[in-house]
Amino acid sequence: MQVSSGKGRLVFGSSNAAVVRGGRIALVLMFALSAFAGVVRPADAQAAETVVQIPMDELGMPTRVFFPETGHHIAEELLTAWRSTGLMIFGYPITEPLMENGRVVQYFERARLEHWPEHKGTKWEVQGTLLGNWMAEKRQNKQAFKALPDNQPSDSPDRVFFKETGHWLAYGMKKYWDENGGLWQFGFPISEEFQEKNPQDGKTYTVQYFERARFEYHPEHAGTQYEILLGHLGRDYAEEEKITQTSVSQKPDFVRYNPGLFDDALLNVFRPNSGRWMGFVSTDALGIRSEPATAAPSVDVIYNRRPVEVRGIVRGTEVEGTDAWYVVGDNQYVSAAYIDPLVLRTPPQTFGGHWVDVNLSQFYAVAYDGNTPVYVAIIAAGRDGKTPLGVYQVQYQVRSEIMDSATVGIPKGAPGYYFLENVEFTQYFLAGGYAIHGNYWTPESSFGGFTSNGCVGLMNPDAEFFWNWMYPGDYISIHF
């Protein structure tokens, strides 16, 4: 029978008072570097030699991706530039990187990007070609491109005249320009609005040309985010210039593009160590595999909400549209489809030195050093509101003990009675037997919920970390 418990006081154990903790600092450092709940803890996680690792950037995102929609790759600096703007602005890649006029370029549905290594480290390292200017030279409606006199009066804040090119930008076109990058992204307007046939679908739209783009008004999408769309200027130019767009096979050291691999949450994800980030399991149960394949043997199972340290990306079996797998231990992998970035919520208050924040909404206990989080663990909290909310201090610690509910008023034979031996790493913070401690009797699948009698339950490896992290007098903040 599984017993869920929380409250209790010392019956017998290593001590009935604050435990002397000399010599634990080395243990704290060891756990901070290598121990996270539910993940096998090798000294340094590596992928098998036969598994192809995918390079990651400083955020933990892959730097090489393949787009099966068009059969082309994007990598490194060009991928960074593409990712910062997005699919709706540039579209899919329609060529591989090419060398043109001594410069690496790549064509996309709506743009042509150029790599300028002489500007490495600046926003000018990758620049969009002035495709609007290039294509304007071939347009039949020359009148729309003629500059107007620079004394044009403006009768509305929704209309602005650019003396630099002698053209108006107004209403829906202006709103889209303002909200999607403006001058940096699209350049100045180089035409007025006019009617033009789209060479891709043969339909006629109201369009306006800019130095780097062509805006199209789509009345069929009026009132939605698709009312203004970017024309496929990159494809139009590539086809006119007979640029090769033939699809290629996916290279082994590239993963398929999936938006989840580039989640904006990675900007604020919890990072316990340099070059690594923490995710959490977003499905009910997830097998850790010995190879990046769904058919590979499972070496462990981790459950919903469980923190996972991501140590690398490899390519494996496709799952839910992605063939990316995360390295979580030596030759241990989980599908990236079921790992989301773990973003810690800001605690309502902070304290100096070592302290613990317990969030009953996320079901995480987070070890802090001042304002800096260093460790996170999933918890089991008190059902029916039994875990007390507030700010407390560690009163005393017990290394190993028996918890008997009779000592807190629940006698043997009464509903809710429990008798638990070998409860480890207990830190009492409130009279009545409330503590943060190891909990071995609750199934791992039940962590991340309200299952205890009021204490904050931890898996034993996590409880040991917090035991070494805290001293009597250190603060524990518990809140939703």
Side-chain angles (χ1 to χ4, degrees), residues 74-149:
I74 315 179
E76 314 301 342
E77 296 84 5
L78 290 171
L79 176 60
T80 299
W82 182 91
R83 190 185 71 224
S84 67
T85 300
L87 181 62
M88 290 300 294
I89 300 299
F90 290 146
Y92 291 112
I94 59 173
T95 72
E96 295 295 283
L98 306 170
M99 184 67 70
E100 293 184 355
N101 298 320
R103 188 170 301 284
V104 174
V105 304
Q106 188 165 9
Y107 288 82
F108 298 81
E109 291 175 309
R110 302 180 177 96
R112 175 183 183 269
L113 298 183
E114 307 171 359
H115 184 213
W116 294 64
E118 60 267 42
H119 298 309
K120 185 175 180 60
T122 74
K123 68 177 183 178
W124 306 103
E125 183 173 1
V126 176
Q127 301 178 31
T129 300
L130 300 178
L131 275 186
N133 287 348
W134 290 12
M135 297 297 287
E137 298 175 0
K138 304 179 181 182
R139 301 302 91 179
Q140 296 181 351
N141 189 338
K142 299 297 184 182
Q143 185 63 36
F145 291 88
K146 289 184 178 179
L148 301 173

Side-chain angles (χ1 to χ4, degrees), residues 7 22 79 135 137 254 280 301 326 339 351 357 372 376 466:
K7 296 194 296 181
L79 176 60
M135 297 297 287
E137 298 175 0
F254 282 67
F280 69 91
V301 178
Y326 291 136
I339 300 294
F351 306 89
D357 184 71
T372 304
V376 62
F466 285 98

Side-chain angles (χ1 to χ4, degrees), residues 111-247:
R112 175 183 183 269
L113 298 183
E114 307 171 359
H115 184 213
W116 294 64
E118 60 267 42
H119 298 309
K120 185 175 180 60
T122 74
K123 68 177 183 178
W124 306 103
E125 183 173 1
V126 176
Q127 301 178 31
T129 300
L130 300 178
L131 275 186
N133 287 348
W134 290 12
M135 297 297 287
E137 298 175 0
K138 304 179 181 182
R139 301 302 91 179
Q140 296 181 351
N141 189 338
K142 299 297 184 182
Q143 185 63 36
F145 291 88
K146 289 184 178 179
L148 301 173
D150 63 9
N151 60 350
Q152 300 290 313
S154 179
D155 57 359
S156 168
D158 294 323
R159 299 178 70 240
V160 60
F161 183 75
F162 288 90
K163 295 182 179 180
E164 294 85 352
T165 56
H167 290 288
W168 285 97
L169 180 56
Y171 304 114
M173 299 288 195
K174 179 179 182 298
K175 185 174 185 293
Y176 186 91
W177 188 88
D178 287 337
E179 294 179 351
N180 292 279
L183 184 62
W184 166 253
Q185 189 65 56
F186 306 115
F188 290 111
I190 59 171
S191 80
E192 297 299 297
E193 295 182 14
F194 66 99
Q195 297 286 304
E196 183 178 68
K197 180 179 290 188
N198 185 317
Q200 299 300 322
D201 62 14
K203 297 180 180 179
T204 297
Y205 298 98
T206 297
V207 304
Q208 185 169 14
Y209 277 74
F210 297 79
E211 290 175 305
R212 296 186 179 90
R214 179 180 71 229
F215 288 12
E216 297 176 352
Y217 171 59
H218 286 252
E220 70 274 22
H221 300 308
T224 75
Q225 62 177 323
Y226 306 111
E227 184 172 346
I228 303 296
L229 294 175
L230 296 181
H232 285 196
L233 216 55
R235 190 180 293 280
D236 292 349
Y237 182 82
E239 290 178 353
E240 290 189 16
E241 296 297 316
K242 295 181 173 52
I243 304 297
T244 298
Q245 301 177 47
T246 305
S247 299

Side-chain angles (χ1 to χ4, degrees), residues 42-46 276 311 329-330:
D44 187 19
Q46 299 291 334
R276 294 176 179 174
R311 306 181 181 196
D330 260 344

Side-chain angles (χ1 to χ4, degrees), residues 371-442:
N371 294 325
T372 304
V374 300
Y375 187 94
V376 62
I378 195 167
I379 66 168
R383 54 186 176 273
D384 302 323
K386 292 181 179 179
T387 297
L389 305 179
V391 176
Y392 308 96
Q393 290 176 280
V394 176
Q395 296 177 353
Y396 64 96
Q397 300 169 305
V398 182
R399 174 60 181 81
S400 181
E401 63 177 326
I402 290 176
M403 285 186 176
D404 185 346
S405 67
T407 64
V408 291
I410 305 176
K412 186 176 181 179
Y417 174 76
Y418 55 84
F419 183 87
L420 300 165
E421 298 182 288
N422 301 318
V423 180
E424 297 190 279
F425 309 114
T426 302
Q427 303 186 73
Y428 288 97
F429 60 80
L430 181 64
Y434 293 96
I436 179 170
H437 60 74
N439 180 330
Y440 62 83
W441 53 91
T442 296

